[in-house]
Amino acid sequence: MSLPNPAGSRPARPVLRQSFSSSSFIHDHQQYKPPAPAPAIVTQTIGNVLGNLNESPPSAISRNANPISPDPKRVTESGIIHSIFHHQEGLLPQGTPKLVATLFYKSSEPVHPHVHPDSSPNARPGDKLPHPTVPVGSAPTLDIEKIPREPPAPEPEPLDHLYGPYVSQLCLTNFLQIIESLPTPYHRMNTSHRCLDQHDQPRVVEVTFSPPPNPDYLTFADLRKHESIWRFEREWNVEVVLQKESVFRQHKRLVVFDMDSTLIQNEVIDEIAKFIGVEKEVSEITERAMNGELDFSASLKERVSLLKGVPADVFEKLKSVITIAPGARELCKGLKKLGCKLAVLSGGFQPLAEWLAGELGIDYAHANHLEIDPTSQTLTGKLVPTYPIIDANQKRSLLHSIAAENGVDIVQTVAVGDGANDLLMLHAAGLGVAFKAKSKVQLEAPTRLNSESLLDILYLFGLGNDEIQELIA
């Protein structure tokens, strides 16, 4: 049986003591320690330390012990770079996807009608705040009494009233901060921007950023409707149109339009109803149908039945009261110069769709055909059964068929409309724009734009103001 080792026969094993560690990371690194006072300078060398290692067991090392005196006149470079970025990588890898955001300042249609108290000379202490309203495009109805939920949250601070009625530098900075906060997990982002209309106080600014948010965490469809972007739009009185950057964004070949309340400012069936005094009944059905509250085909037949007995030449008389939407002529002219095919796909009626196509140089016109009594030359109140009803499904089918007929890839198509019967074609097109649309449509459409002029759609192609003016000259 072996005897236990006598005490002191070999050095004791070193033990990790609390005195080894420090509560400060900086104090544990020599180059950041304060220089030792003069009387306490240690003159030991490495050789002395190693030579005495076998002579006596190591004693507890004090946290402040330093066998090599630091140079008080110099801070040693550790060679470690502390950064969350890879500094060796200058540019993103070739082929990294990009997103383009086009910011439109809504100068002619302010979201905040009341002047901010800090900047209004007419504001008085006794003035009452306006009643809360529902922003256009944020709910299916603008009537607060019809919304079955809590009252809307207070409006964001109208920052455009403080920093300028245009896309200001601070507005752009705020947008970039929001975009950089969205991707998860975090990664470095490259951004650039262009003022498309003018460099001084621009109304339209194009921002390109890459890479886009990781689709595993935030899809492109969800990004378009993100709450942070919605609040940014409200605060700065702007609209943001997001697109994936590609050669097809800039080079479109087919553009299709709705007619009523898009290319023209009228609802044709309401104008016809004025002739026989049923405007109120027809317009109510029209509004509900465009908001998606009624089946379009059924509502169309119901409205057409109210037109029975109207003279067939009513369309000739209507031409004098039809108002073409601002920018429609210029937009169609510019698109034709770019080589685009144009089509009007309308839930209205064929005679006026064909007339409008002739006025604007549009290649295709598809609308509903009203049945005419050949004897009395009046409307029968029915649709011609041999022609399909131009409803939401038919508009989408026509978009695909016209594109196929002209050898156009669907990603090179644009659809513009304002009603619920336009939603399917807006989602099917490469770029679907709800232009000054009904609230429900603005909520569900891929993109929305509430500009005063249809010509603003050309900015979405990446064209600047000088290029647009050259196209429409």
Side-chain angles (χ1 to χ4, degrees):
M1 181 174 175
S2 61
L3 296 175
N5 292 331
S9 60
R10 66 177 181 179
R13 298 178 62 185
V15 179
L16 179 65
R17 302 179 183 276
Q18 184 65 30
S19 60
F20 278 9
S21 62
S22 167
S23 60
S24 170
F25 176 82
I26 294 179
H27 285 172
D28 285 341
H29 288 73
Q30 174 181 306
Q31 65 265 34
Y32 296 110
K33 289 183 178 180
I41 293 179
V42 180
T43 59
Q44 280 185 305
T45 65
I46 294 295
N48 293 336
V49 174
L50 294 177
N52 297 330
L53 183 61
N54 296 325
E55 298 178 3
S56 61
S59 58
I61 301 176
S62 171
R63 182 178 66 186
N64 294 325
N66 187 359
I68 301 177
S69 175
D71 187 344
K73 299 180 180 179
R74 183 178 62 185
V75 175
T76 306
E77 173 61 52
S78 67
I80 300 174
I81 298 175
H82 302 278
S83 174
I84 62 175
F85 300 122
H86 300 289
H87 284 268
Q88 302 302 322
E89 299 180 6
L91 299 175
L92 292 169
Q94 187 174 4
T96 302
K98 299 179 181 179
L99 294 185
V100 174
T102 311
L103 278 60
F104 293 85
Y105 181 75
K106 299 168 65 176
S107 55
S108 57
E109 191 177 338
V111 177
H112 309 282
H114 57 282
V115 178
H116 192 274
D118 292 344
S119 59
S120 172
N122 300 321
R124 294 174 294 181
D127 291 347
K128 295 183 179 180
L129 294 175
H131 293 290
T133 58
V134 180
V136 176
S138 64
T141 174
L142 301 183
D143 188 350
I144 294 182
E145 301 299 328
K146 295 181 180 179
I147 298 180
R149 57 182 181 181
E150 296 181 359
E155 283 291 291
E157 186 74 13
L159 299 178
D160 61 307
H161 288 178
L162 299 177
Y163 297 103
Y166 48 88
V167 182
S168 62
Q169 187 68 38
L170 194 60
C171 170
L172 184 60
T173 302
N174 187 200
F175 176 73
L176 294 176
Q177 290 173 336
I178 291 172
I179 293 298
E180 287 198 332
S181 69
L182 294 178
T184 306
Y186 184 84
H187 51 230
R188 192 174 191 177
M189 183 174 290
N190 288 354
T191 63
S192 62
H193 75 278
R194 293 191 301 147
C195 301
L196 296 185
D197 59 335
Q198 58 186 20
H199 291 285
D200 183 31
Q201 301 185 356
R203 183 179 66 89
V204 187
V205 175
E206 180 184 275
V207 183
T208 303
F209 54 94
S210 178
N214 190 328
D216 293 337
Y217 297 91
L218 183 64
T219 66
F220 180 60
D222 290 339
L223 174 63
R224 278 176 156 174
K225 300 181 181 297
H226 200 280
E227 181 180 356
S228 296
I229 294 180
W230 181 87
R231 176 165 286 273
F232 165 78
E233 291 178 318
R234 299 289 299 162
E235 287 179 340
W236 292 99
N237 194 22
V238 299
E239 286 185 314
V240 179
V241 177
L242 284 168
Q243 301 180 75
K244 294 181 179 180
E245 178 63 303
S246 72
V247 66
F248 300 123
R249 178 185 79 91
Q250 303 175 36
H251 300 284
K252 302 297 186 184
R253 296 180 57 199
L254 172 63
V255 184
V256 301
F257 298 94
D258 177 42
M259 182 173 71
D260 294 12
S261 298
T262 302
L263 284 178
I264 62 175
Q265 294 183 321
N266 316 70
E267 287 287 342
V268 172
I269 195 168
D270 293 348
E271 298 293 339
I272 299 176
K274 290 181 181 180
F275 283 86
I276 55 176
V278 292
E279 179 186 6
K280 181 179 180 181
E281 293 87 339
V282 170
S283 60
E284 287 178 354
I285 300 174
T286 300
E287 182 178 3
R288 294 181 63 193
M290 292 300 101
N291 283 325
E293 300 174 21
L294 300 174
D295 176 73
F296 180 81
S297 297
S299 67
L300 177 64
K301 292 178 180 178
E302 182 180 354
R303 286 175 290 164
V304 168
S305 67
L306 297 174
L307 305 181
K308 183 177 181 180
V310 174
D313 63 353
V314 66
F315 296 108
E316 288 297 325
K317 298 177 181 178
L318 282 178
K319 292 176 183 178
S320 62
V321 300
I322 294 297
T323 303
I324 295 177
R329 290 185 184 275
E330 294 83 358
L331 174 61
C332 291
K333 182 178 180 180
L335 291 172
K336 293 298 289 184
K337 285 188 177 181
L338 289 174
C340 295
K341 291 289 184 180
L342 307 181
V344 53
L345 310 180
S346 173
F349 305 112
Q350 189 67 22
L352 281 179
E354 291 179 353
W355 168 79
L356 185 63
E359 288 288 308
L360 301 180
I362 294 176
D363 304 286
Y364 299 89
H366 296 273
N368 296 301
H369 293 253
L370 289 173
E371 190 177 64
I372 299 175
D373 186 338
T375 304
S376 62
Q377 286 297 303
T378 59
L379 303 181
T380 65
K382 298 179 181 179
L383 296 168
V384 178
T386 55
Y387 289 93
I389 294 177
I390 309 299
D391 58 6
N393 287 303
Q394 186 63 16
K395 286 189 175 187
R396 180 175 57 184
S397 298
L398 286 169
L399 169 66
H400 283 283
S401 62
I402 295 173
E405 179 183 339
N406 291 274
V408 176
D409 195 308
I410 198 66
V411 74
Q412 290 183 272
T413 63
V414 180
V416 185
D418 76 302
N421 62 327
D422 298 316
L423 278 172
L424 292 183
M425 76 171 182
L426 295 183
H427 282 284
L431 173 62
V433 182
F435 190 81
K436 301 184 74 170
K438 311 299 184 291
S439 295
K440 174 183 172 64
V441 182
Q442 295 202 34
L443 281 173
E444 299 184 14
T447 62
R448 69 186 190 282
L449 191 58
N450 290 280
S451 299
E452 288 300 301
S453 172
L454 278 167
L455 192 60
D456 280 355
I457 290 176
L458 287 179
Y459 287 120
L460 301 180
F461 293 15
L463 298 176
N465 186 63
D466 292 342
E467 296 166 316
I468 293 175
Q469 295 304 315
E470 184 177 355
L471 281 175
I472 66 177

